[in-house]
């Protein structure tokens, strides 16, 4: 083992751990960790990987139903749409990267969610993007909108998956902290459903895709002592995506899964190599040993911390079916990807890494995957409550309602999104039956069957701000209405919970209430939650303190049309028509 | 009509092209991988599909134009075989010299995906025989680099020889003379930015692309 | 007022992935140029500015840093040269 | 075998409209840089080649002309320089 560093506790924060969490770790392993181990635990226990603040709330979600082929816990949820077909779908945020470098931040957001989909054995066939920006008149907002749309368009168009829907809203609370939530859907035959598992003892662990660079390590998380000599300036906080490489990875992965040579597969996303292999080992209930010297690198002199936590894009872990290793390697090599066997599954419960012949990490798999969970006290902000309860009867009705209507219609949140969705290829794959703008949900046909799949993403954050329970429930209801309006039966949802700092009682209250609202609405509508994503600490500076963004629980919903030729769009057809108003 | 759809590693309309070709021209249409040295025996039509053949790094189509299969495509064209290049396929054709000119970034620098209206400027080609003179078609575009450029002499020649086959009614990208599609001197190689393979089924909005495939089919039977 | 020609070179930082460069390199090696390595694709921007040299230099530095490149992932350098009176281009 | 560093500059021909350059120019004038004109955006490519100088020069000329630029609308020029023995990167 590398030398034990007794002062690590003092800088636990640089690894994303509180001193108390550090003590938990020491207790769990019966010794002091080394810096690499502390960093690995810090990454695995982060909100992004470990959901330490949000998981306890998720118990409220309904997650089962006859239509659910795969519920939460895998790379993506999967629903049965009939005739042996399934749809894998999930939504994920790339908020912080997009605020720093909008083009690449948004592009790699698309890349990441697509990998989650094809890791399930599904061919990605639609993307939706839900975007929130600040004041529409500010130059920074224009820069961000243009960059984010450019990034999504660049990645999605190039890889050839249509972007078929989404939403764009503007509100000052997102001025510093734009939200970029991307949802993807994929189609699979039931028998091709793949899982993120290491399988059984003796299985090989195969690294495939791009080489590993120092991407995504420039954040403030680490003190420079833990990283190699590369200067801070050269350590990019941004990752650059390559849709061309991802296309190769997609085709190679699907070919391998369909050939039946894959026992387990997972994408390397946040916390890269570590989180993917840790989670796969945990699902198998087994230990692994990997040799970090074998990881393909893009730069020389990379050290274990960098190899483990790099967030270089377009990389996957594949576990071959025993006895068919060579078949898998040959198949992958054809696509000119870097392919290396870097480790093996073993009959113990440890997560072991070696480097230059030394064991540099030896931790229990379970400890890594079982982050401490926090349940906090939520308290509604008195200020927001007052706004909600404000008596509106005294507000004067404007005289010229026509002018008000024009004002409303010209607000960028309400105005046509054509300039945005025209920059996305929404027709590639020739399945898009209801295109953006034609309805509030997109409809795609399933080639080889008469069915259609519908998808939408929705959330009205102003409503959630005023009443997080009702607002979040309303987002689910709106999504269901949007599906019903194209003629689809809603099946299930994925969610993306974008909130402020959960340590603030007011924010925690919003999170709690919103989750309960989603859960109750999903129960009522029989649309279980099959997956989701959490993005916390979204805040902006007001005077000398931080204020949370409007709470934004984005809902992505998927539905099915038994006969895709029977569908509806929102345009008035050749009249005369009678218009009806439904509902209360 | 025996059809081969060329697949570059970053092609992404390859499956769409194959689907349309099988629906309209040849139930046995096949993919041909870019590293192949030759086309399948008896190939009559080579379909260069849209996409981002090599990530479209450098310039669209630039690297694809230099791949092994393109030598075979050139021979096929020289023997009088039909070649249809759509979108990125058009870019590959100009980059490989099978068609004159070049395609550069759209005037507003943005990618555009939308249905556009095209006028059939020459309905007496093997690709357009099923259309009427000056017929207006609705066919989708989806590209970021479709701005056709050639030097003035080349443009004048194309116009004089009736080789501008399709013209935009409302130019979406800045193309000179509103050019949407052109044909070579011998009339067997056609490149166009709009996607006829996306317009062969009413379910997806338009059937106006069908005429191209019907023209080719009839032409061969004739 | 004098006029200056500026040339600006924007390159990705060395440790940032350059997908363009990588693809071009791979394509070149398929084209029998296997002795080519380290391909990096950046931007080359030409512009002219009128004004006094000191001001133009400060202004150019600002433009390069804030408009023409993103310091998060790119490096940029520039050259400035006074244009000859009879602009012959 | 010696190694050479090449720098390649690809620019649009002067007669061709450069929408990117125009967009940058417009953005700059909105940002109070109205004294900036003639913005043209091109490509700057770095690569290394190993081999004897004469061969490398011929090869580079070929690559630049046939792969890195499109003579229909672009001009290209290049510089070649032998890399120092102790490659310090
Ligand atoms: N970011 C986006 N990407 C793709 N399509 C979008 C985006 N934003 C809006 N759209 C599409 O534009 C249409 C109108 O959307 P929107 O203005 O949000 O309508 P509504 O508020 O009535 O749901 C829908 O078809 C929607 O999918």
């Amino acid at each position: 083992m590398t030398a034990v560093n007794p002062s690590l506790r003092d800088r636990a924060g640089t690894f994303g751990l509180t001193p108390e969490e550090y003590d938990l770790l020491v207790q769990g392993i019966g010794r002091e960790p080394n810096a690499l181990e502390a960093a690995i635990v810090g990454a695995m226990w982060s909100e992004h990987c470990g959901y330490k603040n949000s998981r306890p709330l998720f118990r409220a979600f309904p997650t089962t139903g006859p239509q659910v082929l795969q519920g939460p816990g895998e790379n993506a949820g999967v629903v049965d749409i009939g005739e042996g077909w399934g749809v894998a779908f999930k939504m994920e945020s790339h908020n912080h990267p997009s605020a720093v470098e909008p083009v690449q931040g948004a592009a790699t957001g698309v890349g990441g969610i697509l990998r989650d989909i094809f890791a399930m054995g599904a061919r990605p066939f639609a993307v939706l993007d839900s975007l929130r920006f600040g004041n529409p008149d500010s130059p920074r907002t224009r820069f961000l909108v243009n960059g984010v749309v450019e990034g999504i368009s660049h990645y999605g168009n190039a890889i050839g998956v249509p972007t078929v829907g989404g939403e764009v809203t503007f509100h000052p609370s997102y001025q510093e902290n734009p939200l970029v939530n991307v949802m993807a859907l994929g189609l699979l035959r039931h028998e091709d459903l793949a899982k993120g598992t290491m399988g059984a003892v003796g299985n090989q662990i195969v690294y495939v895709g791009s080489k590993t660079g120092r991407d995504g390590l420039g954040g403030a998380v680490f003190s420079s002592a833990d990283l190699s000599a590369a200067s801070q300036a050269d350590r990019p906080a941004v990752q650059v995506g390559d849709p061309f490489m991802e296309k190769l990875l997609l085709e190679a992965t699907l070919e391998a899964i369909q050939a039946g040579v894959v026992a387990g597969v997972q994408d390397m996303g946040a916390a890269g190599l570590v989180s993917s292999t840790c989670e796969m080992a945990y699902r198998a209930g087994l230990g692994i040993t990997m040799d970090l010297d074998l990881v393909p690198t893009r730069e020389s002199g990379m050290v274990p911390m960098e190899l483990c936590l790099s967030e270089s894009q377009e990389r996957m872990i594949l576990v071959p079916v025993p006895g068919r290793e060579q078949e898998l390697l040959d198949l992958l090599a054809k696509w000119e990807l870097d392919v290396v066997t870097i480790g093996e599954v073993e009959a113990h419960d440890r997560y072991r890494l070696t480097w230059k012949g030394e064991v540099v990490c030896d931790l229990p798999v379970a400890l890594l995957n079982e982050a401490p969970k926090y349940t906090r006290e939520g308290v509604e902000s008195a200020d927001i409550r007052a706004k909600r309860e404000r008596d509106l009867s005294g507000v004067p009705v404007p005289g010229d309602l026509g002018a008000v209507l024009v004002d409303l219609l010209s607000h960028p949140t309400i105005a046509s999104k054509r300039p945005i969705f025209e920059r996305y290829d929404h027709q590639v794959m020739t399945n898009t039956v209801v295109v953006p703008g034609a309805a509030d949900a997109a409809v795609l046909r399933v080639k080889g069957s008469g069915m259609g799949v519908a998808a939408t993403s929705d959330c009205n954050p102003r409503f959630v701000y005023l009443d997080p329970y009702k607002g979040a429930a309303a987002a689910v209801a709106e999504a269901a209405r949007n599906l019903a309006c194209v003629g689809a039966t809603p099946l299930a949802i994925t969610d993306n919970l974008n909130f402020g700092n959960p340590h603030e009682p007011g924010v925690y209250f919003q999170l709690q209430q919103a989750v309960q609202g989603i859960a109750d609405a999903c129960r009522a509508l029989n649309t279980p939650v099959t997956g989701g994503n959490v993005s916390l600490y979204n805040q902006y500076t007001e005077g000398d303190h931080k204020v949370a963004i409007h709470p934004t629980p984005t809902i992505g919903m998927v539905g099915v049309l038994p006969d895709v030729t029977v569908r509806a769009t929102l345009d008035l057809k050749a009249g005369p028509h009678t218009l009806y108003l439904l509902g209360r | 009509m025996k059809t081969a759809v060329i697949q570059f590693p970053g092609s992404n309309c390859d499956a769409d092209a194959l689907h349309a070709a099988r629906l309209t021209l040849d139930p046995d249409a096949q993919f041909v991988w870019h590293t192949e040295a030759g086309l399948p025996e008896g190939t009559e039509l080579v379909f260069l599909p849209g996409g981002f053949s090599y990530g479209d790094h450098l310039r669209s189509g630039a690297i694809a134009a230099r791949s092994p299969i393109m030598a075979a495509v050139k021979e096929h064209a020289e023997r009088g075989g039909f070649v249809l290049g759509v979108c990125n396929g058009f870019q590959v054709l100009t980059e490989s010299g099978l068609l004159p000119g070049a395609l550069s970034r759209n005037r507003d620098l943005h990618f555009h995906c939308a249905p556009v209206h095209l006028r059939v400027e020459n309905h007496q080609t093997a690709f357009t025989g099923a259309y009427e003179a000056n017929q207006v078609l609705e066919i989708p575009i989806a590209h970021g680099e479709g701005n056709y450029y050639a030097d003035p002499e080349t443009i004048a020649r194309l116009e004089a020889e009736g080789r501008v086959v399709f013209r935009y009614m409302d130019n979406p990208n800045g193309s000179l003379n509103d050019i949407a599609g052109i044909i070579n001197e011998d009339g067997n190689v056609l490149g166009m930015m709009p996607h006829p393979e996306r317009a062969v089924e009413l379910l997806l909005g338009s059937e106006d692309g069908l005429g191209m495939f019907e023209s080719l089919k009839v032409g061969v039977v004739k | 007022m004098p006029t200056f020609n500026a040339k600006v070179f924007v390159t990705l930082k060395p440790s940032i992935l350059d997908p363009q460069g990588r693809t071009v390199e791979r394509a070149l090696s398929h084209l029998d140029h296997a002795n080519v390595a380290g391909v990096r694709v950046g931007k080359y921007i030409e512009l002219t500015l009128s004004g006094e040299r000191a001001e133009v230099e400060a202004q150019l530095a600002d433009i390069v840093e804030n408009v023409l490149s993103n310091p998060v992932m790119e490096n940029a350098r520039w050259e400035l040269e006074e244009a000859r009176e009879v602009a012959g281009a």
Side-chain angles (χ1 to χ4, degrees), chain B:
Chain B
M1 167 169 242
K2 192 165 160 80
T3 303
V5 176
I6 309 296
Q7 268 186 311
F8 299 101
S11 296
N12 65 30
C13 300
D14 47 346
D16 304 354
L18 192 77
H19 177 78
R22 286 187 174 165
L23 213 60
T24 59
L25 279 179
D26 172 13
D28 300 318
Q30 289 303 325
F31 282 134
V32 176
W33 191 238
H34 66 117
T35 53
E36 296 286 319
L39 293 165
E41 197 54 45
T43 297
E44 293 167 289
L45 170 70
V46 170
F47 196 147
L48 293 163
F52 292 70
S53 41
Y54 276 86
D56 274 7
H57 294 316
L58 215 54
R59 295 181 312 281
S60 305
I63 300 176
R66 282 138 192 104
S67 67
I69 194 65
M70 283 310 294
V73 174
K74 273 184 205 167
E75 267 174 39
H76 169 81
E78 275 157 21
R79 282 195 310 268
F82 291 115
V83 180
L84 171 61
V86 167
C87 199
N88 191 230
F90 185 13
Q91 294 158 346
V92 173
L93 288 175
T94 58
E95 281 283 345
S96 60
L98 280 165
L99 289 174
L103 293 145
S104 66
R105 282 184 76 172
N106 292 353
R107 159 176 68 183
D108 67 358
L109 303 176
H110 294 324
F111 189 98
H112 284 273
C113 174
V116 298
H117 290 107
L118 303 179
R119 195 169 54 230
V120 179
E121 295 284 297
N122 182 346
H123 72 297
Q124 290 170 327
T125 76
F127 298 85
T128 52
Y131 296 120
E132 321 254 302
N134 296 322
Q135 189 175 338
V136 174
L137 314 176
E138 184 184 297
I139 294 189
I141 54 162
H143 61 250
E145 300 189 16
N147 185 344
Y148 184 78
Y149 171 84
D151 57 53
E153 301 79 63
T154 307
I155 296 279
R157 251 191 88 190
L158 289 172
E159 294 287 3
E161 295 171 1
R163 287 166 54 196
V164 174
V165 179
F166 298 109
R167 215 185 292 276
Y168 299 112
M169 309 285 287
D170 190 2
N171 191 336
N173 54 27
S175 275
L176 288 181
N177 290 23
D178 304 327
I179 289 174
I182 57 171
I183 199 162
N184 67 342
E185 247 170 297
D186 294 338
N188 61 326
V189 177
L190 182 135
M192 64 193 294
M193 288 313 295
H195 286 270
E197 82 284 4
R198 294 188 183 186
V200 294
E201 292 166 277
L202 224 40
L203 181 64
L204 303 182
S206 165
E207 273 184 332
D208 288 358
L210 270 180
M212 290 195 67
F213 300 99
E214 274 160 14
S215 308
L216 282 164
K217 205 164 163 179
V218 171
V220 163
V221 173
K222 202 159 48 179

Side-chain angles (χ1 to χ4, degrees), chain C residues 13-78:
Chain C
K13 288 188 177 175
S15 59
I16 296 246
L17 175 73
D18 177 7
Q20 284 216 63
R22 186 169 64 179
T23 308
V24 172
E25 190 168 321
R26 205 169 339 155
L28 286 174
S29 90
H30 284 308
L31 294 168
D32 291 326
H33 295 298
N35 61 328
V36 175
V39 181
R40 306 281 291 176
V41 181
K43 272 181 282 190
Y44 169 60
I45 304 156
E46 297 173 332
L47 47 140
T48 69
L49 303 93
S50 52
E52 296 311 323
R53 180 176 274 271
E55 280 163 31
V56 163
E57 283 191 353
Q59 185 190 9
L60 183 59
D62 170 45
I63 290 176
V64 168
E65 170 104 346
N66 292 308
V67 181
L68 300 181
S69 72
N70 181 352
V72 177
M73 51 190 254
E74 292 168 330
N75 292 328
R77 63 187 176 79
W78 46 268

Side-chain angles (χ1 to χ4, degrees), chain A residues 8-19 22 220-223:
Chain A
L8 275 184
R9 187 179 192 276
D10 297 338
R11 55 187 189 98
T14 63
F15 304 116
L17 297 171
T18 62
Y22 183 86
V221 186
F222 307 112
S223 64

